[in-house]
Structure formats: structure tokens, C-alpha cells
Amino acid sequence: MLNLLFALIIIGQSKRSQADWPMVFSAENFLFVTTDVGIYRFDKKAEEWSIITRKNGLPSDRAILLGLDEGLLWVGTAVGIAWADLKLLNFRIHDSLVTGGIAFDADYVYIGNPSGIMRYDKYKDQWELIETAKAVNDLVLIDEQLFAATDSGLAIFNTRYEKFETVPFEVSERLDFIINSNRNIFFIGGAHIYSYTKETRGWRTFVGFK
């Protein structure tokens, strides 16, 4: 618990976006590390490193986010979204700006965008934009609720009823990160941390780090 608190303090004080942080992502037999010159991939079985760049089909060498869903590696960059078979790396690209956050359910892929949430229909092979007031910086999907940290606060999209829910209290500051733990979801802003308890669906606000 102390490690989590220290992480929250560091993030709250830094006020940096996801794009400023390198990502370390483990998927099946591979470990991925994002850098400004590409994504380094470590093969755990072969104990070998390789690098994934625009030469492999990425829209940019600098990845903002990584995700894995049904054997597909998803890569978000500032200038586009790419996805490919984890082993083959046969990337497809969708030209869309990405700000941060990725989530999956059985039917869709959700990715943060400067104007809202980009949603990819896996069966129709189509993209659409779910508009929000401001840019989306991070996403977490819990059951049928898609929580979005945005430049203007918190948005909650109900994926079953296809509409935004009323946020139970006012969040008027930019939220940069979401941390999803076993019991709580933490929304990190510049001046506050907002905590949602999953079991009770209760909210708490912690004055933060200005």
C-alpha cells in the first residue's frame, strides 16, 4: 500500500502526461519497452532483444500506449493507431490522433483521443468517435462502465446503454492518470486524487499536490 501511495505522490507532483512516461508491458512470452526510437521487445524464451519501429509498420517510433487483446498487440502513437498479431507484427494502421488510455471488451477497443474516445468495432471492422468535452488522457473499463480521465475532469460512459452517466460530484480539473487496483480506482489530477471504491461505489477526494 505504501508503494502505491508513493506512486500517487510522484505522479501528482510531476503533472506529466502518459506520453512523457516510458511503458514496460508484458504479454505472453514477450516484454515490451517504449522509447523515443521505437519499441524494444524482449523474447523471454529466446532471451533476445529486437526493436519495432516505423520500418515494421508503426505510424511513429514513439508509442504512447500499449495493450493486448485476443492475441493482438495494440500500439497508440500521437499520429496513429496500429495493431498486429503479437508474433507476426503484421501491423494495420488507423490514422487518428491518440492522447492516452486503452480498454477492451468483447466487442470493442477503446482509445483516448483529443476529441473523445475512439471505438473500434471488432466484428464490423469500423471506427467511430464517442465525443467528450475535452481530450481523453486515460481509460479504465469496469464491467459496463468506461471511466475516462479528461482535460476537463471525469467522464463515465455506459457501454451497455451507450450513453454518458452523470458524474456523482464535480471534477473541474484536468485528470492525467487512472490507477486501477483490486479495491479502488484512483483518478490523478494536479491538485487532487479522487478515489472510487468498487464494492461500495463510494467516492472520496484527497487534497493533493499543488
Side-chain angles (χ1 to χ4, degrees):
M1 186 63 180
L2 281 177
N3 290 336
L4 176 60
L5 291 176
F6 282 127
L8 295 178
I9 291 171
I10 291 169
I11 290 170
Q13 290 177 329
S14 70
K15 298 181 184 178
R16 297 195 294 174
S17 68
Q18 283 193 5
D20 296 314
W21 295 86
M23 290 187 65
V24 180
F25 180 77
S26 182
E28 297 185 10
N29 294 317
F30 299 100
L31 182 71
F32 299 89
V33 182
T34 63
T35 73
D36 287 342
V37 297
I39 303 171
Y40 283 92
R41 181 178 71 165
F42 179 68
D43 187 320
K44 298 176 185 178
K45 286 188 175 181
E47 296 189 348
E48 294 179 348
W49 285 95
S50 59
I51 189 168
I52 307 168
T53 67
R54 285 178 291 178
K55 294 180 180 179
N56 302 98
L58 293 181
S60 169
D61 289 336
R62 189 174 185 228
I64 295 174
L65 58 86
L66 298 174
L68 180 69
D69 179 59
E70 298 178 354
L72 295 179
L73 176 67
W74 288 81
V75 181
T77 76
V79 295
I81 302 165
W83 65 104
D85 181 278
L86 181 63
K87 297 177 182 178
L88 300 178
L89 299 180
N90 49 345
F91 284 102
R92 296 176 60 190
I93 293 178
H94 177 68
D95 293 327
S96 173
L97 300 178
V98 174
T99 47
I102 187 167
F104 308 95
D105 64 21
D107 300 317
Y108 298 102
V109 180
Y110 306 89
I111 296 178
N113 176 276
S115 301
I117 303 166
M118 291 299 302
R119 181 169 69 174
Y120 173 70
D121 189 314
K122 301 177 186 178
Y123 299 99
K124 295 181 179 179
D125 191 23
Q126 293 179 348
W127 289 90
E128 64 177 324
L129 175 65
I130 303 171
E131 293 187 14
T132 60
K134 296 287 184 177
V136 172
N137 303 311
D138 205 356
L139 293 168
V140 165
L141 180 64
I142 304 294
D143 298 324
E144 297 169 344
Q145 288 182 305
L146 182 63
F147 296 87
T150 81
D151 277 358
S152 60
L154 175 64
I156 305 173
F157 182 74
N158 190 299
T159 60
R160 179 179 180 183
Y161 296 108
E162 295 280 312
K163 66 178 184 179
F164 284 97
E165 298 180 1
T166 301
V167 178
F169 59 92
E170 183 179 358
V171 181
S172 57
E173 66 180 305
R174 171 190 169 102
L175 297 178
D176 290 305
F177 295 92
I178 304 175
I179 298 176
N180 183 21
S181 71
N182 290 334
R183 294 181 57 190
N184 299 86
I185 309 173
F186 298 98
F187 303 87
I188 314 301
H192 301 86
I193 292 175
Y194 304 90
S195 173
Y196 174 73
T197 303
K198 298 175 184 178
E199 184 177 353
T200 63
R201 298 193 175 185
W203 291 86
R204 293 182 66 190
T205 302
F206 299 91
V207 177
F209 311 106
K210 276 191 173 181

